[in-house]
Amino acid sequence: MWRPLERIRHDSAQGVWPTAEAAAKSRLFSPIRVGPVVLAHRTWVPAMVPWRATENGDVTPEVLGWYQRFARGRPAAMVVEATGIRDVPSGPLLRIGHDRFIPGLAELVRVVREASAGHTRLFIQLIDFLAIRRRPEPAKFFGRFLAITPAHRAAFGRPEAGDEEVRAWLASLDATALPGVLTTREMQALQQGFRERVTDTEQAHIRELPRVLPALFAQAAERARRAGFDGVELHYAHAYTMASFLSGLNQRQDGYGGNREGRVRLPREVAVRVRAAMGQDFVVGCRILTDECIEGGSTVADSAFFACELAVAGLDYISLSRGGKFEDASQPKVGEAAYPYTGQSGYECMPSYYSDAHGPFGRNLAPAGEVRARLRARGLNTPVVVAGGIHNFAQAEAALAEGQTDIVGFARQSLADPDWFQKVRLGRGAEVRLCTYTNYCEALDQRHRQVTCSRWDREGLDEPGVARSADGKRRLTAPKWDA
């Protein structure tokens, strides 16, 4: 049964905050080595897309302000948002597909170093994605977008008919008749919007992905090094290209799909290529899913296998997320694109206060523990990072004590309170502004609006120098906290 969180009893909703002395002796605030770097403690801000870049993928003052504010809280490490490795239009997302992006990214690194007094290690998440279109108006779909095939003409009953006649006939059919005429992919393009898949190997650019992507990722990693980052995170999770190669739904017949070995082949080749290009003095990690949470998708057993293969390939850490797929996304409105965090898999990725009996707290911890256990059973000491509904000290400390993870990621909680790390470390955890899991931030992300948190975005709007959202109604960063 799904119900609001207020009706769910959860003993760690507030948590027990440690004294400064207890925090200093805790696992959470103990150091850990990740490849060539040592993190001062085991706290981590995972990548979050704030929609503050330019349409050309450039760093803006708003991007700098976003990361500067997190850095002031001094997390041990922070991962810069999903950043495109190709030099192609992708809206207000950061890009790293050309040398012209290096100066802006270098300024971002400088700002974080200064704001954290050199305390926070900075990685950047490298991502590739395939084309996705908005859900079309039926008239446009049948009038322009649908490619007319002999099968359509045969269904029309006149194989010699011209395209315009067939288009007009298709547009006249009611919704119950269309599935008998259109293919599954054509119906999906009509109802959800067209979306490329890694299995579309009849398309040359999809067929060539295994040949093209390793070099693109390696070149992006080299730019990240030149910009001053401590490392890169290869994005193999959620609804994007590399995650789709790992997916249980990937049935390519060219050696890059099918069984687990085939599905991990390209992610492993990318990892090896990036590691060879960067050497051993630069952190290279990745993010994968413990479970796709979709019918026919990869499971925890698959994830454990992939984690071991990628660790053997030389990755310095494995970051674990969950769900967030297009396959079960809700139908978008006409003119909007499908959003991969609206179905059950999306809930598992970003669970909200409206939840089942388990609630939104730490749903990914047990699966992450299984992945970590498999790594250790293979004799691999690669650190594991886990995130997903973690917001208080007791919860994080228990995850470390129980061997479910080596590093704890705080995404929505760090957005709610970028000073979480400082407050807890100094014994002032009672002052933490806790995430309420309304997914207010996710709703902004879905609409590609500048992401903020309802816990603070209307506070102190009249303060001098407060940067506001495009509509002027919200502040873009959390109010200052004096330690």
Side-chain angles (χ1 to χ4, degrees):
M1 176 182 290
W2 293 73
R3 53 193 184 276
L5 179 63
E6 288 82 359
R7 299 179 188 175
I8 299 173
R9 181 175 179 273
H10 194 285
D11 293 336
S12 67
Q14 293 297 326
V16 178
W17 301 109
T19 64
E21 293 77 13
K25 296 177 182 178
S26 71
R27 292 177 178 84
L28 186 63
F29 288 98
S30 64
I32 185 172
R33 176 171 289 279
V34 177
V37 307
V38 175
L39 305 187
H41 41 90
R42 298 169 187 247
T43 65
W44 189 278
V45 178
M48 293 177 279
V49 175
W51 299 106
R52 283 158 166 74
T54 69
E55 289 292 326
N56 292 322
D58 297 306
V59 171
T60 63
E62 291 76 18
V63 169
L64 297 177
W66 169 265
Y67 289 104
Q68 180 185 57
R69 185 63 188 87
F70 284 109
R72 286 176 179 158
R74 297 195 180 184
M78 182 161 53
V79 183
V80 169
E81 67 205 70
T83 302
I85 63 171
R86 299 177 192 253
D87 192 16
V88 297
S90 52
L93 295 173
L94 288 180
R95 294 188 354 224
I96 196 171
H98 189 278
D99 284 359
R100 72 175 180 277
F101 296 112
I102 294 175
L105 293 170
E107 178 63 9
L108 192 162
V109 172
R110 186 196 67 77
V111 165
V112 168
R113 298 270 190 256
E114 182 179 280
S116 71
H119 185 94
T120 299
R121 295 289 189 170
L122 191 62
F123 310 134
I124 187 168
Q125 190 178 72
L126 304 181
I127 187 172
D128 183 68
F129 47 84
L130 300 180
I132 181 171
R133 313 285 185 220
R134 293 178 175 88
R135 180 186 169 194
E137 295 178 0
K140 288 184 178 179
F141 178 77
F142 291 115
R144 293 166 48 193
F145 302 145
L146 179 66
I148 300 303
T149 68
H152 298 140
R153 291 189 173 86
F156 183 41
R158 290 177 50 204
E160 76 284 357
D163 284 2
E164 295 309 310
E165 286 185 274
V166 178
R167 290 184 186 280
W169 171 69
L170 289 168
S172 72
L173 297 178
D174 63 32
T176 60
L178 285 172
V181 178
L182 301 181
T183 66
T184 299
R185 285 293 296 278
E186 289 167 345
M187 285 296 299
Q188 289 171 343
L190 171 63
Q191 296 175 337
Q192 297 284 116
F194 173 75
R195 177 171 62 85
E196 288 183 334
R197 293 160 169 80
V198 299
T199 50
D200 293 339
T201 52
E202 69 280 2
Q203 301 293 324
H205 69 287
I206 301 292
R207 189 167 58 249
E208 292 297 303
L209 287 172
R211 182 183 63 81
V212 170
L213 288 179
L216 288 177
F217 273 99
Q219 291 160 10
E222 177 56 34
R223 293 187 186 101
R225 185 208 288 276
R226 289 161 59 192
F229 287 91
D230 296 299
V232 294
E233 179 174 282
L234 308 176
H235 197 336
Y236 293 174
H238 304 310
Y240 308 109
T241 306
M242 299 301 289
S244 296
F245 272 92
L246 290 174
S247 175
L249 301 180
N250 172 18
Q251 295 301 311
R252 285 176 68 122
Q253 300 298 307
D254 59 353
Y256 288 94
N259 60 21
R260 291 172 178 170
E261 291 77 7
R263 282 146 49 203
V264 80
R265 181 179 173 187
L266 180 58
R268 185 175 54 218
E269 289 177 356
V270 167
V272 169
R273 181 71 172 268
V274 173
R275 171 55 74 205
M278 305 313 294
Q280 298 299 316
D281 62 345
F282 189 74
V283 174
V284 182
C286 76
R287 194 166 212 209
I288 64 174
L289 301 174
T290 57
D291 193 323
E292 288 191 282
C293 305
I294 55 173
E295 184 176 355
S298 295
T299 65
V300 177
D302 296 304
S303 178
F305 174 83
F306 298 149
C308 290
E309 291 296 303
L310 295 168
V312 170
L315 294 189
D316 293 311
Y317 71 83
I318 307 291
S319 179
L320 297 171
S321 187
R322 181 174 173 84
K325 305 296 291 184
F326 279 123
E327 282 76 9
D328 65 347
S330 298
Q331 184 179 44
K333 296 178 181 178
V334 171
E336 296 182 1
Y339 182 67
Y341 305 102
T342 48
Q344 178 62 30
S345 74
Y347 168 80
E348 292 293 340
C349 180
M350 288 189 281
S352 76
Y353 79 103
Y354 194 77
S355 185
D356 58 18
H358 186 288
F361 304 105
R363 296 177 76 98
N364 201 31
L365 287 174
E370 293 184 43
V371 174
R372 183 178 182 275
R374 182 70 65 84
L375 284 164
R376 300 300 176 264
R378 284 276 304 272
L380 299 165
N381 292 318
T382 308
V384 167
V385 184
V386 69
I390 301 173
H391 65 299
N392 71 61
F393 174 82
Q395 185 186 26
E397 187 73 357
L400 292 167
E402 294 168 12
Q404 294 172 316
T405 188
D406 299 288
I407 300 169
V408 181
F410 302 81
R412 285 174 292 175
Q413 178 53 57
S414 66
L415 175 57
D417 193 340
D419 301 303
W420 190 102
F421 315 100
Q422 283 283 71
K423 289 176 179 177
V424 176
R425 188 179 63 83
L426 296 174
R428 297 172 64 177
E431 299 177 39
V432 166
R433 183 190 297 111
L434 284 170
C435 177
T436 55
Y437 294 90
T438 63
N439 278 356
Y440 172 91
C441 53
E442 181 207 13
L444 292 168
D445 176 60
Q446 183 174 355
R447 299 194 296 275
H448 294 187
R449 296 176 63 187
Q450 294 157 311
V451 173
T452 55
C453 177
S454 63
R455 298 299 314 275
W456 49 254
D457 67 2
R458 305 302 170 107
E459 293 183 14
L461 287 173
D462 296 329
E463 293 174 6
V466 169
R468 296 195 183 199
S469 58
D471 60 11
K473 296 179 180 179
R474 298 173 290 126
R475 64 183 300 147
L476 290 179
T477 57
K480 183 179 178 181
W481 178 73
D482 292 318

